[in-house]
Amino acid sequence: MSSDEAPMPASSAQPAPLSQQAMAARGAPYLDDLNPAQREAVEALDGPVLMLAGAGTGKTKALTTRIGHLLLTGKCRTNEILGVTFTNKAAREMKTRIGRLMGEAVEGMPWLGTFHSVNAKLLRRHAELVGLKSSFTILDTDDQLRLLKQLLVANNIDDKRWPARMLAGIIDNWKNRAWTPEKVPAGEASAFDRRGVELYAQYQARLRDLNAVDFGDLLLHMLTIFQEHEDVLAQYQRWFRYILVDEYQDTNVAQYLWLRLLAQSHKNICCVGDDDQSIYGWRGAEVGNILRFEKDFPGAKVIRLEQNYRSTPHILAAASGLITANKGRLGKTLWTDAEEGEKVRLIGHWDGEEEARWIGEEIEAMQGGTRGLAPMSLDHMAILVRASHQMRAFEDRFLTIGLNYRVIGGPRFYERMEIRDAMAYFRLAVSQEDDLAFERIVNTPKRGLGDKAVQTIQRAAREHGLSLVEGARLCVDEGRLSGKGLKELRTLVQGLDRWHGQVISEADTHVELAEMILDESGYTAMWQNDKTPEAPGRLENLKELVKALEEFENLQGFLEHIALIMDNESEEQGEKVTLMTLHAAKGLEFPAVFLPGWEDGLFPSQRSMDESGLKGLEEERRLAYVGITRAEKLCTISFAGNRRVYGQWQSALPSRFIDELPQEHIEVLTPPGLYGGGFGAAAPSAGPSAVQERAMRADVYNSPGWKRMQSRQQRPVSQPAEARNMTIDLEATSSFTTGERVFHKKFGYGAITAIEGDKLEIAFDKAGVKNVVSRFVVAADLADDIPF
DNA sequence: TCAGCCGAAGTTTTT
DNA sequence: CTTCGGCTGA
């Protein structure tokens, strides 16, 4: 760590006043780029500032310019700014933009990062104050769960009644609220939770023994240190002369306390956020933090960024109208100079499949530029859903019509099984003390070392106070195991020794070593021999991992940094529609956005409302607000009268949020097959209440007449899409035959059961019968030759 | 030890 | 309808 980053006595931390730069900054051209509110937010450098930045109002620009301004006016140096974000992506983007602003002349900002990475860095310096070594490892959710499971077993607790997941959730929750085991309030400890507190304490003790922390600990330990060691706190209060916080509405209690401690002396804290976009209450975020800011920091300057540069007036008005139904907002009025554009479109469908079909066709139409609209790239369209299982209907549909899509979300790169397995091997090569890593890979690939063998090893280790690797060595030497297991374990231990020796001697580059480890351990072979559909992808990921290694000096350096980086940056090429959850969409924007599944119970989610009542409903509404405000030009909301939920058909009412949309900014489209538009024709203002109105609309969909009309109309309606594909059929010569074995990237191996043009019906070995366009499939015998 | 069967449950997610 | 996890029988 460079001494530049280290806190020093205040006297030497004083930067020389750079009057020249200050002069330059005063007339700086970058200030002219800002609108008045942004400029105010940039220039109010001292004292507490709350920047209320609505969606698409140039928040990041204001934030990065503010940092640039701090530096250029000589207020402080780069290493005296503490900037915290929630995601690596946000931190990275800010660094890039500051770099651009400062003409690359500025060296990196060492204290601009996520809450977690900043705290990890701090904790490495002061680990001994909470009984850790500075080399502590950071456990992720997986390790955490394994540990908790062991704890539950050790306590003879039926893991059916108290699943490890639940305990993990409870502990996380407590950590979010800055409760160490001693501080969990007695009131919190119901019959269930009292046991929980004890387990929590045991868990923390176990972590300390392992010299490990979980994500929550990173912040909680530092908070404890700040609270118990005034000198350390004072040191950082002096050092971090200016504090900036991104997405303040998402901070939890622990983060709030942490910030307040650091800012309380100079109060140079600038929090940026939008109370209307607070959607993470369920993981501990406290909207209250942002609502309370002025009370926490009397005399705080509150600056509202309200000019929106993203969406058309109709989209903005629809979103604004919806969000006014929430109580206790700080309140903002977004406005824009943009041209009027199209109204937000609303359409109801008979069922979820028809909704997916309609959206698919709409996307194709927009891509082709029909209906007088300019052709639009698939990259500019997104479908945002409330819950990830909703994506399935779209994936199925897009696969059959051959529409390219990308799914954002799902397991992150470093969360994938194969990556974590490989990392466990690397961890062990670096340090044989890593018991969790050993447990993870001892029988992966299968070595005939099951529960019993592991228990034997654990017993041996505990008896002699050794690590599991040493315990294993003991078992091998003393022949405590037998047969295949013994032989395999001996090989493994020898391998671990050899690899560890390589790390020490640096005989090979770390990249070569990594490859060697994966090969010699039999891990690569395990996936090569695996014929499930996922195997090729996993091998691909392993190659990616090795490639990522190249960026680092050595394995240690890699492991050090990787624990906190959970990005999933895979640069796919080719135009694709984006499919993701509303949560994942926060901060993003797309010219065209589809918001399907607006049905009561689904969105707003029944569970949210049941568990959190009005608070939950309001958070759902903010989610809706986030969804609409992602759209630049075209926003299409839809719902389905019927949907298959867990294999059962269920009918639902259109979402109450639909009633809350201001009518004058909504265009109601006629669902395919429904003549005369039975939906939304009547104005809800007069006569029946909104709920009755909604019920009436729903009745239209549930009436036998409607259903009859629907079924009669369905076929002709889908005709155009069929016709389009038929044209392609004539050109594309399908070279497949019925009965042929094929391989599909997603579904794996299967046999063709029917061929219709370029569409194949395939009975997959694992995925069941699917209709797939032929170009997504290769002959099975060719699949083995694909170099993975 | 491990594959295969049965039963239960089934939001949102970053680090 | 799936998927995951735990249990059982070979």
Side-chain angles (χ1 to χ4, degrees):
Chain A
M1 195 167 298
S2 85
S3 61
D4 228 22
E5 301 174 17
M8 294 176 219
S11 57
S12 63
Q14 292 288 345
L18 303 173
S19 55
Q20 252 181 324
Q21 286 189 11
M23 298 286 277
R26 200 153 301 138
Y30 60 82
L31 290 177
D32 299 331
D33 267 4
L34 305 169
N35 67 38
Q38 288 173 333
R39 183 161 180 158
E40 194 189 350
V42 165
E43 293 193 302
L45 294 179
D46 292 296
V49 173
L50 177 61
M51 201 195 298
L52 286 175
T57 55
K59 169 194 79 169
T60 309
K61 185 177 182 182
L63 207 43
T64 51
T65 311
R66 184 184 165 92
I67 292 174
H69 198 54
L70 277 170
L71 298 171
L72 287 170
T73 51
K75 284 274 187 185
C76 62
R77 304 184 300 192
T78 51
N79 53 348
E80 292 167 328
I81 298 176
L82 172 64
V84 277
T85 63
F86 278 87
T87 64
N88 288 303
K89 199 174 151 202
R92 214 180 311 123
E93 164 151 21
M94 281 179 61
K95 281 186 182 176
T96 314
R97 286 175 73 162
I98 294 165
R100 215 186 302 151
L101 191 73
M102 306 289 290
E104 318 292 334
V106 69
E107 86 266 30
M109 304 252 316
W111 296 104
L112 171 56
T114 63
F115 273 101
H116 290 87
S117 66
V118 165
N119 277 291
K121 208 161 159 182
L122 291 171
L123 191 56
R124 295 236 183 253
R125 297 175 168 191
H126 303 286
E128 77 287 351
L129 295 179
V130 284
L132 293 166
K133 288 185 279 182
S134 87
S135 59
F136 62 81
T137 48
I138 302 168
L139 304 189
D140 59 23
T141 325
D142 235 56
D143 293 321
Q144 193 188 6
L145 276 177
R146 183 144 1 95
L147 214 55
L148 286 170
K149 249 176 211 165
Q150 291 176 3
L151 226 52
L152 287 167
V153 171
N155 281 275
N156 281 321
I157 292 173
D158 182 7
D159 59 355
K160 236 177 200 153
R161 286 188 55 208
W162 310 96
R165 292 200 142 275
M166 182 185 269
L167 184 59
I170 292 170
I171 291 178
D172 263 4
N173 237 305
W174 287 339
K175 288 188 176 177
N176 285 340
R177 290 189 240 175
W179 291 343
T180 50
E182 314 80 61
K183 286 187 188 156
V184 176
E188 187 74 11
S190 59
F192 167 82
D193 288 343
R194 203 184 319 280
R195 197 93 185 259
V197 176
E198 198 181 303
L199 287 165
Y200 179 19
Q202 286 182 28
Y203 170 67
Q204 292 305 110
R206 186 86 184 90
L207 284 175
R208 198 156 304 170
D209 288 346
L210 287 164
N211 191 34
V213 299
D214 65 18
F215 289 127
D217 283 340
L218 289 171
L219 202 119
L220 196 49
H221 281 323
M222 273 322 293
L223 193 59
T224 308
I225 291 171
F226 285 156
Q227 285 166 342
E228 293 175 359
H229 299 270
E230 264 179 58
D231 53 323
V232 177
L233 174 62
Q235 190 184 4
Y236 288 104
Q237 284 175 335
R238 255 176 280 131
W239 183 254
F240 298 132
R241 297 155 59 86
Y242 290 90
I243 300 175
L244 296 103
V245 190
D246 193 20
E247 307 279 15
Y248 190 59
Q249 77 284 350
D250 289 338
T251 50
N252 60 35
V253 172
Q255 287 156 344
Y256 164 81
L257 293 172
W258 184 89
L259 284 167
R260 219 175 53 172
L261 281 176
L262 283 170
Q264 72 188 10
S265 60
H266 52 60
K267 299 191 170 60
N268 291 329
I269 182 169
C270 173
C271 293
V272 187
D274 180 357
D275 49 323
D276 291 335
Q277 292 187 67
S278 163
I279 55 175
Y280 286 108
W282 49 273
R283 67 176 195 212
E286 287 281 340
V287 217
N289 290 348
I290 195 167
L291 302 177
R292 212 177 41 226
F293 188 83
E294 287 180 87
K295 279 196 196 111
D296 291 331
F297 295 98
K301 191 171 269 185
V302 179
I303 299 164
R304 289 179 161 76
L305 303 193
E306 299 180 306
Q307 182 175 3
N308 177 289
Y309 296 98
R310 177 186 295 156
S311 311
T312 63
H314 280 311
I315 292 171
L316 235 40
S320 300
L322 176 73
I323 201 68
T324 49
N326 272 9
K327 306 221 174 0
R329 301 170 56 226
L330 290 169
K332 283 185 294 343
T333 316
L334 295 186
W335 60 276
T336 176
D337 284 338
E339 282 178 40
E340 192 180 24
E342 290 199 46
K343 290 185 176 181
V344 171
R345 308 185 305 166
L346 175 64
I347 183 166
H349 297 282
W350 169 243
D351 63 18
E353 275 159 47
E354 194 202 276
E355 183 183 49
R357 197 179 315 132
W358 184 84
I359 289 178
E361 281 166 21
E362 197 66 9
I363 287 170
E364 288 183 327
M366 284 160 60
Q367 186 189 21
T370 53
R371 288 196 215 136
L373 292 163
M376 188 184 276
S377 162
L378 291 180
D379 289 333
H380 292 162
M381 307 181 214
I383 300 167
L384 311 182
V385 296
R386 170 68 247 259
S388 48
H389 64 76
Q390 290 172 260
M391 294 186 199
R392 206 198 173 107
F394 293 98
E395 288 198 60
D396 280 352
R397 182 63 194 160
F398 295 168
L399 243 17
T400 47
I401 63 174
L403 185 65
N404 289 322
Y405 67 91
R406 80 168 67 82
V407 173
I408 309 283
R412 302 270 169 287
F413 186 72
Y414 290 102
E415 269 169 0
R416 287 162 203 255
M417 186 207 315
E418 65 277 15
I419 300 302
R420 298 182 37 76
D421 288 342
M423 300 272 293
Y425 275 105
F426 299 163
R427 275 158 64 183
L428 277 172
V430 169
S431 159
Q432 300 202 339
E433 307 276 294
D434 198 328
D435 286 357
L436 286 166
F438 181 81
E439 277 176 33
R440 182 174 182 99
I441 54 87
V442 63
N443 201 29
T444 311
K446 296 270 184 297
R447 296 192 171 93
L449 296 162
D451 263 2
K452 234 179 114 205
V454 172
Q455 271 171 27
T456 309
I457 295 170
Q458 275 170 338
R459 210 176 316 119
R462 212 171 317 121
E463 275 168 22
H464 298 84
L466 298 168
S467 68
L468 288 183
V469 175
E470 292 303 322
R473 198 190 313 279
L474 203 73
C475 291
V476 170
D477 291 345
E478 296 185 354
R480 294 205 197 177
L481 294 167
S482 57
K484 183 174 176 247
L486 177 70
K487 199 169 144 261
E488 291 274 5
L489 188 61
R490 180 179 294 129
T491 314
L492 178 64
V493 172
Q494 283 167 354
L496 288 172
D497 287 343
R498 198 166 54 248
W499 303 324
H500 185 61
Q502 299 272 41
V503 171
I504 305 293
S505 70
E506 297 182 337
D508 294 287
T509 69
H510 62 292
V511 175
E512 286 166 337
L513 176 59
E515 283 170 335
M516 189 192 302
I517 293 173
L518 294 180
D519 283 342
E520 292 182 2
S521 62
Y523 193 71
T524 317
M526 179 181 96
W527 288 116
Q528 278 163 348
N529 297 330
D530 191 309
K531 284 296 172 199
T532 56
E534 299 89 45
R538 296 196 195 274
L539 284 164
E540 188 102 352
N541 288 337
L542 289 173
K543 273 174 76 179
E544 281 284 314
L545 178 71
V546 173
K547 218 172 81 194
L549 272 173
E550 289 170 10
E551 312 268 321
F552 292 82
E553 289 241 325
N554 51 41
L555 271 185
Q556 294 96 312
F558 178 72
L559 294 174
E560 177 99 353
H561 287 267
I562 229 60
L564 291 172
I565 300 175
M566 289 300 207
D567 283 14
N568 197 4
E569 296 279 306
S570 58
E571 53 335 293
E572 304 164 88
Q573 60 278 102
E575 280 190 23
K576 289 181 168 88
V577 185
T578 302
L579 204 47
M580 64 177 139
T581 64
L582 287 160
H583 282 93
K586 194 169 87 158
L588 304 179
E589 57 188 16
F590 299 90
V593 167
F594 290 90
L595 301 170
W598 280 43
E599 292 122 46
D600 250 43
L602 219 202
F603 188 42
S605 133
Q606 192 59 50
R607 194 152 163 182
S608 276
M609 295 188 291
D610 290 348
E611 285 175 10
S612 313
L614 184 64
K615 240 180 123 190
L617 176 64
E618 295 208 339
E619 182 154 313
E620 296 284 304
R621 192 177 283 115
R622 290 193 291 266
L623 206 45
Y625 175 81
V626 166
I628 297 172
T629 53
R630 297 311 96 193
E632 295 170 7
K633 302 250 180 278
L634 191 62
C635 179
T636 310
I637 295 170
S638 60
F639 63 91
N642 299 285
R643 206 174 279 280
R644 207 154 47 172
V645 185
Y646 308 138
Q648 303 262 310
W649 281 100
Q650 286 182 5
S651 61
L653 301 181
S655 170
R656 64 192 71 187
F657 297 153
I658 286 175
D659 298 322
E660 297 170 2
L661 296 167
Q663 282 229 325
E664 59 275 28
H665 301 289
I666 307 295
E667 179 192 359
V668 179
L669 303 185
T670 310
L674 184 64
Y675 293 111
F679 168 75
S685 48
S689 74
V691 174
Q692 285 170 326
E693 170 75 12
R694 206 143 40 84
M696 280 166 57
R697 292 175 188 173
D699 274 351
V700 175
Y701 288 89
N702 288 325
S703 71
W706 199 91
K707 288 182 188 175
R708 234 179 296 118
M709 173 153 43
Q710 189 58 29
S711 60
R712 226 182 294 135
Q713 290 298 326
Q714 233 163 17
R715 245 163 280 264
V717 165
S718 57
Q719 204 53 54
E722 302 285 340
R724 265 204 301 283
N725 283 331
M726 292 304 284
T727 329
I728 300 163
D729 287 352
L730 298 177
E731 291 159 324
T733 331
S734 174
S735 54
F736 294 102
T737 53
T738 311
E740 188 178 349
R741 295 280 299 168
V742 290
F743 179 80
H744 183 278
K745 200 177 162 197
K746 189 175 162 90
F747 300 137
Y749 291 93
I752 298 175
T753 48
I755 301 178
E756 208 185 309
D758 72 335
K759 286 187 182 171
L760 311 174
E761 186 188 88
I762 302 169
F764 288 103
D765 301 347
K766 310 237 170 198
V769 179
K770 304 265 180 195
N771 289 302
V772 171
V773 176
S774 64
R775 72 186 154 97
F776 290 105
V777 147
V778 289
D781 49 350
L782 290 178
D784 294 332
D785 298 334
I786 296 174
F788 290 116

